[in-house]
Every structure is written in C-alpha cells, then in structure tokens.
Amino acid sequence: MADRYEKIEKIGEGSYGQVWKVKLRDDPANSKNKFVLKLIRLEKANKKEREYAEQEVKLLKTLSHPNIVSFKDHFWYDSKQTQLGIVMSLCEGGDLYKVLKSKKGGGKLSEHEVMQWFIQIALAVQYLHSKNILHRDLKTQNIFLTRSNLVKLGDLGIARELKEDEMASTLIGTPYYMSPEIFQNIPYSYKSDIWSLGCILYEMTSLKHAFTAHAFSSLVHKIINGEPPKMPTGYSKGVCDLISRMLNKEIDARPSARDILQTPFVQEKIKKFLEDSQSKQKRPSR
C-alpha cells in the first residue's frame, strides 16, 4: 500500500514522526492528486501510544465535514509495523500558526478575516462534539488553510470519543491551550475544547498566546489563578465578548460550540459571509 505514494517534500517533523507531501505513483501527471502523509513512529511506543495512533485512523474514517481534514488511506509503512501511515487531504495554505507568525510586525488580521476563519473552526468543533468526540488538542498548529481560504481542522491523534455523560481525566494536550480543569485534575469534557477555542481566537486577534510564562509551573498558575488576558485592541465588542466567554474559568459559564454559532453577533457574521460568497459566485469570470 505504501508503494502507491511517492514523497515530494517533507513539510513537518516532531517526536511523533514526520509529515510529507506525497502524490500517487500511478498518476504522476495529475497535479491535483497530492496528499499529506503522516508517518507515526511506533517502534518505541507503549500500548497507550499505539492506541492513540490507531484511534486517529478510526475517528478520521467516521468523519465527513468541509472544515475537517478528510481521510484518504492508511497502512503500515514497513513490514515490522513500526510506522503507521495516514494519508489525508492536502491544505496548500499551511497551518494557522505559521500564518499568524508571518503577521507579527506587519499588521494584524482584519476582523472580517478573523471571524471568517473562526466560524469555520467553530463549525468543525461543533460537528465533533455532536459526534461525542473531544478533540483535546485544539491549537493554531492543528488548523490548516486551503488556497481558497477554507479552514480545515486536523490532527485527531489524542481525540477521545466519549460515551453519554462520560468525562475525560487524562492530563494531555498542548499547555498554552489547556483548560484550568485539566491542570486541576478535574474530570473534563467538551467545555475544555471551548477554552482552547478561546485561546485560538485570542491568538488570532493579538498574535500572541492568551497565557504565557517562562516556566511550566508559572504558566499553570496563570491559567488556574491568573487574571484574564488583556483584550486585543482594534476589534469589536462582539469579538472581545466571545473571547471572554470562552476563557471563563467557570466551566458551566462557557458556551457550547452550538451556543457560539447561535450568538447574534456570530449569526450576523455568518449571514455576511454567505452574502459575500453568493456575490463572488455570481460575478462573471474573466
């Protein structure tokens, strides 16, 4: 199965393995047939880590949403089963983290652009939650952009499928985006993803993390006990209110993804995007 794909270039690497841009060997002339191959190293993985890798495949197979990276294929990359390959759709625009990093010193994103992307992320999160899936690692590095400015949520490597009324308890995720309840060893659920979503919106508007510190212990203290981050300037009250609601330390006071999408402010933005989209479609091509 691995022989079907030819590596074009490496686009990422970490402790988990590597990410490559690939194409189908039997159709090299068709430039549209390019994908992402995620190679997960499992030669030193424990039982739990293997379960996470296999679970990512299982979850991706069940999902179908325009704002979630689509699954294409999976296979063992070698005969000893030390590397699991997952093939997904390619997002040529790169990840949101790199886009925001490129903006530092050169001006912020417009509110229109911020909300256009944020709404798509919220739609993906709402879809996952409706499927009883807790992402657990929402961050700008896991949000990808297509050339047509479509947003795709990816990397379900540590996602968890919850049964009715079930809670998660594992201390897992990326510290900058982790909710207070995770650090306090309080069982957590979908509202933990909402906290992460608040961190993402804050980062999109301020070009920096909502909570920062030089040491891990200081970061944890800030997230649990610190003051809310100073709201970004140059954006409407509606944007700032969204951030404040999502970064509420009281779990029950945070909105659900559905609540966010039904907020009048967000509904107005959705209506505007739909109108703009229809206008572009009606515009004659040159």
Side-chain angles (χ1 to χ4, degrees), residues 19-30:
V19 179
W20 289 82
K21 183 191 289 187
V22 298
K23 64 180 179 181
L24 288 168
R25 286 187 188 276
D26 59 1
D27 195 11
N30 191 342

Side-chain angles (χ1 to χ4, degrees), residues 45-52:
N46 57 35
K47 184 181 177 183
K48 198 71 177 174
E49 289 167 335
R50 278 188 171 267
E51 285 177 1
Y52 282 142

Side-chain angles (χ1 to χ4, degrees), residues 16-176:
Y16 61 88
Q18 299 176 339
V19 179
W20 289 82
K21 183 191 289 187
V22 298
K23 64 180 179 181
L24 288 168
R25 286 187 188 276
D26 59 1
D27 195 11
N30 191 342
S31 61
K32 291 183 179 180
N33 280 345
K34 289 187 174 69
F35 309 97
V36 165
L37 169 62
K38 182 178 179 181
L39 289 174
I40 306 172
R41 293 193 196 103
L42 295 172
E43 67 267 23
K44 296 179 181 178
N46 57 35
K47 184 181 177 183
K48 198 71 177 174
E49 289 167 335
R50 278 188 171 267
E51 285 177 1
Y52 282 142
E54 291 167 5
Q55 180 176 267
E56 183 171 8
V57 172
K58 177 188 169 186
L59 290 178
L60 281 169
K61 278 183 173 181
T62 67
L63 303 176
S64 178
H65 191 276
N67 299 119
I68 294 178
V69 171
S70 56
F71 171 84
K72 301 295 181 185
D73 200 357
H74 82 287
F75 46 80
W76 288 107
Y77 197 71
D78 59 333
S79 58
K80 294 183 179 179
Q81 297 190 353
T82 61
Q83 288 191 90
L84 177 64
I86 305 176
V87 182
M88 296 165 281
S89 56
L90 174 66
C91 297
E92 295 279 10
D95 65 57
L96 182 56
Y97 174 76
K98 289 176 183 173
V99 172
L100 298 180
K101 194 175 179 182
S102 72
K103 291 284 183 181
K104 288 185 177 179
K108 295 181 180 181
L109 295 170
S110 68
E111 180 165 323
H112 176 81
E113 199 166 18
V114 165
M115 290 306 298
Q116 184 179 34
W117 290 350
F118 173 77
I119 286 167
Q120 292 180 70
I121 301 164
L123 284 167
V125 172
Q126 194 275 328
Y127 173 77
L128 288 178
H129 290 180
S130 73
K131 296 277 188 181
N132 303 320
I133 296 170
L134 184 64
H135 190 284
R136 299 205 291 187
D137 201 18
L138 292 173
K139 57 183 178 181
T140 53
Q141 292 96 326
N142 287 340
I143 296 162
F144 305 93
L145 302 169
T146 69
R147 281 179 175 164
S148 59
N149 232 18
L150 191 66
V151 173
K152 302 268 187 180
L153 176 60
D155 203 339
L156 278 78
I158 59 173
R160 167 87 184 272
E161 192 169 5
L162 298 177
K163 296 173 184 174
E164 190 176 355
D165 298 326
E166 186 183 9
M167 306 283 273
S169 58
T170 309
L171 180 63
I172 199 167
T174 301
Y176 287 120

